Amino acid sequence: MKQKTGSPSVDLGQKIPAQAAAPAKAPSERYHGLDALRGFALLLGVVLHGTLSFIPGFHYTGWPIVDNSPSSPLALAYFVIHLFRMPVFFLLAGFFGRMQYRRLKARGFFKERSKRILLPLLFGILLVLPANVVLVAVVLGIKGPVDSLVPTRAIVPIPLAHLWFLWVLYWLYVAVLVGHKVLGLFRKGGESPSASASGGNVLERFLGRVCALGAEPAVLALPVALCLYFFDQWHLWEGLPTPNTDLVPQLPTAVGYAVAFSFGWYLQKNPAILQGWRTRWIGYVAAAAAVTAATAALGGFDPQSSVVTVDGHVELEALTGSTKMLCALGYGLAGWLWTLGLVGAALHFFSGFSPVRRYIADASYWIYIIHMPLVMALQVLMRDWPLNWALKYPLILAIALPILFLSYHYLVRSTWIGKMLNGRRYPRTLPADPAARPAAGAS
């Protein structure tokens, strides 16, 4: 796939010379495979949240909806998706974020990111989250599990629910701007006479050597593994603790997603690395599956596997000792193997433009923001039906996804909401001219 820039073209199907890694002008190209993967990561949120009522023991975490047909396969699906979905998203957010930064410069970048991240967050908090509260507190009529949704380790306990990622992403953008301004860690492009002495350039040279050796998964996994190992009361199925009830992310979460975002920023400056991922994607995915299976077998991939009874009280037992250390290493490594494998596969299979994939990617932002009340309502409706999970879970998705896509098509795509989310209003048709379209989505 050849990407048009102000410098000579970059072909992700061929070896890319080092000097092509940092073109002099801001690029206008689309990476169609990465666009598709970003939309896929957001849509997987619907798939993932649809599993919650079926996961054995998940109600011990505070999730209030319990289906009468629990499913270990859906617990495994949740575990695997949770491994890579947000690392992939934050990696791509850093990648596309740098493209936007080079095009808009600091002031324009801050203004544009505020519109595309903070406004949708406020929209979701005011209109979507109250519907979640109504479903939990009124329809279910439950108080205990609702209270437990805010963990005791929360620092600033303000509920963000599934929209937490926008809050974290916005502050990562702010950190990049501050870092660029104060420390010069992210330069606009080109080398300055003193660049070789800068800390940023030392880090870039180190990452270059790591990528040349193909050691990205192991090196990127280490910060995450260390934070998880020293994190109190960690359960394997929890993964990186989701900051959905706290304005201050826990250390493993902050470090894990900051590493992914920062590496994505670096990756956009050095796109030759993508060629290696594209050619090795099968190996990454196979290794990811093996490490995932071994880690799950060691530490358990659902809450039920952590349930113990102490003095007549049921509680969740956290990992400890060598088991915790191996699970932390396995979790970090598996997450990055999945991430690199999926990025490589997306570039391999979806490098060309597709109007359907482009439309789905455009719709994914809206769908993720509003999906939770609908999915929860369907879980409530079906939780006592005398049907197997293999029928109920697909039915939830079969009902929810068409409604969500239709709402995007008729209520969002060509309206002010579409402009807020996608950067501009689009006609209610499949996109036909990719060269004329700017990057869109929650990048």
Side-chain angles (χ1 to χ4, degrees), residues 15 34 89 92 104 113 188-189 194 198 200 226 262 269 282 302 304 326 345 348 362 368 381 383 396-397 410 430 433:
K15 228 169 156 57
L34 301 186
F89 177 84
L92 297 180
L104 301 172
R113 292 294 85 185
K188 295 179 181 179
S194 60
S198 70
L226 286 172
S262 301
K269 187 177 181 180
I282 295 179
D302 63 49
Q304 194 67 45
L326 291 173
H348 180 81
D362 289 340
Y368 186 80
L381 177 66
R383 59 180 173 155
I396 288 174
L397 297 183
Y410 289 106
L430 291 177
D433 185 10

Side-chain angles (χ1 to χ4, degrees), residues 88-414:
V88 164
F89 177 84
F90 278 97
L91 177 84
L92 297 180
F95 184 93
F96 287 111
R98 185 175 185 272
M99 292 176 65
Q100 291 290 334
Y101 178 83
R102 297 177 65 211
R103 182 174 66 87
L104 301 172
K105 309 307 178 187
R107 187 182 297 272
F109 180 77
F110 178 77
K111 182 179 179 180
E112 195 262 357
R113 292 294 85 185
S114 295
K115 289 180 179 179
R116 302 277 294 282
I117 303 298
L118 278 189
L119 286 182
L121 175 60
L122 291 174
F123 175 88
I125 289 174
L126 294 176
L127 298 180
V128 178
L129 297 193
N132 292 355
V133 174
V134 168
L135 282 166
V136 174
V138 178
V139 178
L140 296 178
I142 299 175
K143 293 183 179 179
V146 177
D147 296 337
S148 66
L149 286 173
V150 179
T152 56
R153 62 192 181 200
I155 300 173
V156 184
I158 295 179
L160 296 174
H162 62 295
L163 303 179
W164 64 265
F165 78 105
L166 293 174
W167 177 252
V168 173
L169 179 59
Y170 183 75
W171 284 107
L172 286 173
Y173 285 133
V174 171
V176 163
L177 291 173
V178 171
H180 184 277
K181 186 71 174 179
V182 177
L183 302 175
L185 293 179
F186 297 98
R187 299 183 300 276
K188 295 179 181 179
E191 295 290 337
S192 64
S194 60
S196 60
S198 70
N201 199 54
V202 170
L203 179 59
E204 288 183 10
R205 290 202 304 270
F206 170 74
L207 290 175
R209 293 191 182 99
V210 167
C211 295
L213 295 172
E216 304 100 304
V219 172
L220 294 170
L222 280 177
V224 176
L226 286 172
C227 289
L228 289 176
Y229 178 70
F230 290 105
F231 187 65
D232 289 335
Q233 297 298 309
W234 181 60
H235 307 84
L236 178 61
W237 49 265
E238 184 181 19
L240 291 178
T242 302
N244 54 354
T245 55
D246 194 353
L247 288 185
V248 181
Q250 299 291 333
L251 183 61
T253 306
V255 170
Y257 296 140
V259 167
F261 178 89
S262 301
F263 190 71
W265 192 277
Y266 166 81
L267 184 65
Q268 199 280 325
K269 187 177 181 180
N270 300 271
I273 298 168
L274 293 173
Q275 165 60 18
W277 297 7
R278 181 176 181 173
T279 57
R280 297 193 296 267
W281 74 269
I282 295 179
Y284 285 139
V285 170
V291 175
T292 299
T295 305
L298 184 63
F301 56 81
D302 63 49
Q304 194 67 45
S305 63
S306 303
V307 171
V308 295
T309 302
V310 179
D311 297 330
H313 298 286
V314 177
E315 59 185 50
L316 299 175
E317 183 180 35
L319 295 170
T320 58
S322 60
T323 300
K324 184 179 183 180
M325 179 183 67
L326 291 173
C327 285
L329 288 170
Y331 192 92
L333 181 59
W336 275 106
L337 286 168
W338 281 115
T339 298
L340 270 60
L342 290 172
V343 169
L347 292 171
H348 180 81
F349 290 105
F350 305 130
S351 61
F353 172 73
S354 164
V356 174
R357 289 198 300 268
R358 181 65 250 153
Y359 182 94
I360 292 173
D362 289 340
S364 63
Y365 195 8
W366 163 258
I367 287 174
Y368 186 80
I369 288 174
I370 69 159
H371 80 279
M372 187 66 90
L374 177 58
V375 170
M376 291 177 67
L378 292 171
Q379 289 176 337
V380 170
L381 177 66
M382 300 183 194
R383 59 180 173 155
D384 294 322
W385 287 8
L387 296 175
N388 188 270
W389 66 266
L391 294 175
K392 286 195 277 188
Y393 175 69
L395 186 59
I396 288 174
L397 297 183
I399 295 174
L401 287 173
I403 293 175
L404 293 169
F405 272 105
L406 285 171
S407 71
Y408 170 76
H409 187 77
Y410 289 106
L411 303 178
V412 174
R413 186 166 176 82
S414 61

Side-chain angles (χ1 to χ4, degrees), residues 1-17 20 23 27-35 95 99 271 274-275 278 346-348 350-353 434-435:
M1 177 183 71
K2 291 192 175 183
Q3 310 293 348
K4 295 181 180 179
T5 67
S7 61
S9 62
V10 174
D11 187 345
L12 292 180
Q14 299 177 358
K15 228 169 156 57
I16 306 174
S28 60
E29 74 270 17
R30 291 205 77 106
Y31 289 80
H32 300 299
L34 301 186
D35 265 335
F95 184 93
M99 292 176 65
L274 293 173
Q275 165 60 18
R278 181 176 181 173
L347 292 171
H348 180 81
F350 305 130
S351 61
F353 172 73

